[in-house]
Amino acid sequence: MFPDCPIRNILARLCGKWPLLVIFTLERTGKEALRFKELQREIPDISQKMLAATLRTLEEDGYVTRNAYPEVPPRVEYALTARAHSLLPHINALIGWALENKDAIMNDRGKACPK
């Protein structure tokens, strides 16, 4: 994508609509791993196709591990890697910042785009 710019390269894949939310959700549940359907229940507005694509991207980039168990019915679980755990303090800081500034931002949006 942007091979000479690590910031653009990483953020392009990490800062879409779903990746940070999936990482946050995997951490927030307190479980070591979640099955696909459990994760989908935790994020009800994500489609099955988008969740699968997001998990695939997160796995490719080393944020999530996928463990498939040879059972009937098949069981697949997703867990955060050490890389994702090292990212969590930054995600939590961003969430805190967003909570502190949400009202002011929404107010400014209202001024910029009156109804």
Side-chain angles (χ1 to χ4, degrees):
M1 292 171 57
F2 306 102
D4 296 331
C5 183
I7 294 170
R8 288 178 68 182
N9 187 313
I10 291 169
L11 291 182
R13 289 178 56 117
L14 192 58
C15 292
K17 184 174 182 179
W18 302 110
L20 290 177
L21 183 59
V22 169
I23 291 171
F24 175 75
T25 302
L26 281 166
E27 190 267 339
R28 181 188 57 136
T29 62
K31 294 182 179 180
E32 189 171 316
L34 283 180
R35 294 178 77 164
F36 185 91
K37 285 294 184 185
E38 290 176 306
L39 190 51
Q40 192 173 25
R41 276 193 292 274
E42 292 291 323
I43 311 172
D45 51 335
I46 192 170
S47 70
Q48 183 173 340
K49 181 179 178 180
M50 186 53 65
L51 179 57
T54 301
L55 287 166
R56 195 174 312 112
T57 299
L58 290 172
E59 184 182 9
E60 288 170 3
D61 288 355
Y63 298 106
V64 170
T65 59
R66 178 184 186 273
N67 293 312
Y69 298 91
E71 300 173 353
V72 177
R75 178 170 57 112
V76 178
E77 293 181 342
Y78 296 89
L80 296 177
T81 64
R83 179 174 298 143
H85 283 286
S86 72
L87 179 61
L88 285 168
H90 305 286
I91 293 172
N92 290 331
L94 181 59
I95 291 167
W97 180 88
L99 289 171
E100 289 174 12
N101 290 279
K102 178 184 66 157
D103 292 338
I105 291 169
M106 298 309 285
N107 187 38
D108 289 343
R109 282 184 190 172
K111 290 177 190 174
C113 302
K115 293 182 181 178

